[in-house]
Amino acid sequence: MKFDQITPRAFENLCYDLLVTYNFHNLIWREGGADNGRDIEGNYFFRNTIKNLETKWFFECKRYSSGGVLPADISSKITWADAEQPDYLVFFISSYLTNNARTWLEKIEPQKQYEIVIIEGEDLKNRLLKYPELIERYFSLNRYEQLFNDVRDYKTKFNINPSFEFLKEISENIDLAKLDKNEIGFILFNFYNQFNLFENRNEYYGDFDETIIYPVLEHLKNSVDNTSLKSFEAYKDDYDILGGTGMFEEMFWLNDEDNIHEIVKYNFQHYDLHLNHKQAKEKWKIGSYLFVIYEDLAFEIFDSEETEIRIIKDFTPEKISELTNNTQDEIVNEYKKYLKNFSA
């Protein structure tokens, strides 16, 4: 178990999963942003024949690639605990306490109304040895492959959508060469579906980062040679758009002088499609269509029962009129106008 081989976020997740095995409840993982002095908080019941006692715990998870933990690294967490008074403050540390930090804690702990518990790297490893499933999940060479398979399974069984953060982890860490077209399509469609969540939040921060998916697009650049979407031909004249997000929606605002300054440049267009909508109900299907521009290439991706990926080499704005989904010729000029809006 080498803690420096997993990300700080994964280390927090590992600590969270360990607490679940320890039967803590009401666990809250304070992911990202201000954590109010703890990464995780939870409760624990102490039971005996006389009285049951519920206790409040704060957990701080510190993953270090090298070196020990200094007093300055934990002092702010002590300050928060002083203010909120949990029963226990626990530090999970991937490395070790420095002598200065250990001496400082020994001096201040008698002054506290809560107990401070330090679980250093070697102690944490010994604890994890009792739970082989956690070691397999976080430290085996194929942990990202297993995670990816689990999430696809959850999507199929429970319709649970993978998060933006999960897709980032997969895009950056999994061996894409081991994935087939359906698995690549799963990543891409779910990634661009996340745009709806970002756009429709109460406050839009402009933090939908397309670069996260670039490793997948780079993989497609070097692995796809298909130049047509044959699977779409059966629906080409019999589909309806249920909803769309991306650059074509942004282009709608080009003629709105009041809102044109709010237009954002995107390199994708995603559609949910109602297939065979002109036919009898038993022949209706749902499909997903994605158009993505990457460097001097573009990709068309269609999924109904199977995923098919088309590459468009030497992409130029004129080639938008050649898209499989019956894109109108006049959209070429609109797209050029859209690009000009972002030129210096």
Side-chain angles (χ1 to χ4, degrees):
M1 289 177 283
K2 296 182 179 180
F3 293 120
D4 59 355
Q5 291 184 350
I6 63 175
T7 65
R9 175 186 173 82
F11 183 72
E12 290 183 20
N13 202 347
L14 170 62
C15 295
Y16 184 99
D17 286 346
L18 182 62
L19 294 174
V20 171
T21 66
Y22 285 167
N23 295 318
F24 282 85
H25 65 281
N26 295 336
L27 287 168
I28 299 174
W29 183 10
R30 296 175 173 271
E31 303 175 71
D35 61 12
N36 290 350
R38 66 274 197 190
D39 295 316
I40 304 168
E41 66 177 82
N43 297 84
Y44 193 88
F45 274 122
F46 289 98
R47 294 181 172 88
N48 59 52
T49 55
I50 304 298
K51 183 178 180 181
N52 294 333
L53 176 65
E54 183 173 12
T55 52
K56 183 177 181 181
W57 297 64
F58 286 178
F59 302 92
E60 179 67 17
C61 311
K62 291 193 170 294
R63 200 279 286 166
Y64 284 69
S65 56
S66 62
V69 176
L70 300 169
D73 297 326
I74 57 178
S75 60
S76 64
K77 311 305 176 182
I78 300 291
T79 301
W80 271 106
D82 289 344
E84 301 202 26
Q85 291 296 313
D87 296 295
Y88 296 88
L89 173 62
V90 181
F91 289 94
F92 287 112
I93 299 171
S94 64
S95 57
Y96 56 89
L97 281 179
T98 61
N99 289 333
N100 285 342
R102 196 180 308 278
T103 300
W104 178 66
L105 286 174
E106 290 173 353
K107 289 181 178 180
I108 67 169
E109 188 170 9
Q111 308 167 20
K112 307 301 179 184
Q113 296 182 10
Y114 53 88
E115 184 174 341
I116 300 173
V117 180
I118 307 296
I119 299 177
E120 298 176 83
E122 291 305 313
D123 183 11
L124 181 56
K125 288 180 181 180
N126 288 331
R127 292 170 181 268
L128 290 171
L129 287 173
K130 299 177 182 179
Y131 305 100
E133 69 278 8
L134 293 183
I135 297 174
E136 172 68 21
R137 186 182 305 169
Y138 289 95
F139 298 101
S140 66
L141 293 177
N142 65 344
R143 62 185 181 278
Y144 288 105
E145 295 172 28
Q146 182 61 50
L147 179 61
F148 182 59
N149 290 335
D150 287 345
V151 171
R152 290 189 72 212
D153 189 47
Y154 297 154
K155 173 67 174 177
T156 301
K157 292 179 178 176
F158 311 114
N159 198 29
I160 298 175
N161 295 319
S163 69
F164 184 81
E165 290 77 9
F166 163 78
L167 294 167
K168 180 178 184 296
E169 289 285 316
I170 290 299
S171 177
E172 293 176 349
N173 293 286
I174 203 168
D175 183 357
L176 297 169
K178 294 182 178 181
L179 305 185
D180 62 25
K181 290 184 297 183
N182 293 325
E183 292 167 330
I184 293 291
F186 178 86
I187 294 173
L188 290 171
F189 282 118
N190 280 283
F191 175 80
Y192 287 103
N193 270 332
Q194 296 293 318
F195 176 81
N196 284 322
L197 300 178
F198 281 77
E199 186 181 48
N200 295 330
R201 290 187 305 182
N202 290 333
E203 295 183 19
Y204 178 56
Y205 297 97
D207 51 1
F208 182 79
D209 184 3
E210 287 189 73
T211 63
I212 287 170
I213 209 66
Y214 281 3
V216 180
L217 300 179
E218 184 68 23
H219 167 71
L220 293 183
K221 174 182 177 180
N222 298 309
S223 61
V224 175
D225 54 13
N226 182 40
T227 58
S228 64
L229 280 184
K230 295 180 180 179
S231 59
F232 192 76
E233 292 297 322
Y235 313 105
K236 192 170 183 178
D237 299 316
D238 192 3
Y239 75 89
D240 192 21
I241 295 175
L242 298 175
T245 53
M247 60 186 185
F248 293 163
E249 274 62 42
E250 289 294 297
M251 288 161 56
F252 175 81
W253 301 103
L254 286 173
N255 298 318
D256 187 336
E257 295 183 359
D258 293 333
N259 294 297
I260 193 170
H261 64 283
E262 297 181 2
I263 292 178
V264 179
K265 185 176 186 295
Y266 294 116
N267 292 314
F268 76 95
Q269 179 63 38
H270 175 263
Y271 288 128
D272 289 317
L273 304 177
H274 181 183
L275 307 173
N276 294 335
H277 77 291
K278 297 178 183 178
Q279 301 183 39
K281 187 175 181 180
E282 58 268 17
K283 295 187 178 181
W284 289 356
K285 293 183 179 181
I286 296 296
S288 294
Y289 171 87
L290 181 62
F291 170 61
V292 183
I293 300 170
Y294 176 66
E295 295 180 347
D296 61 341
L297 306 169
F299 301 98
E300 277 191 299
I301 305 155
F302 174 69
D303 182 87
S304 177
E305 297 174 355
E306 296 287 330
T307 299
E308 187 176 15
I309 304 173
R310 172 198 179 194
I311 188 170
I312 305 172
K313 297 181 179 180
D314 301 317
F315 177 78
T316 63
E318 284 74 19
K319 291 188 177 182
I320 284 184
S321 64
E322 301 174 11
L323 296 183
T324 308
N325 64 336
N326 297 330
T327 305
Q328 301 300 314
D329 291 342
E330 56 265 26
I331 204 169
V332 172
N333 291 329
E334 287 294 298
Y335 179 63
K336 289 180 179 179
K337 182 179 177 182
Y338 174 67
L339 292 179
K340 188 176 181 180
N341 189 63
F342 300 101
S343 62

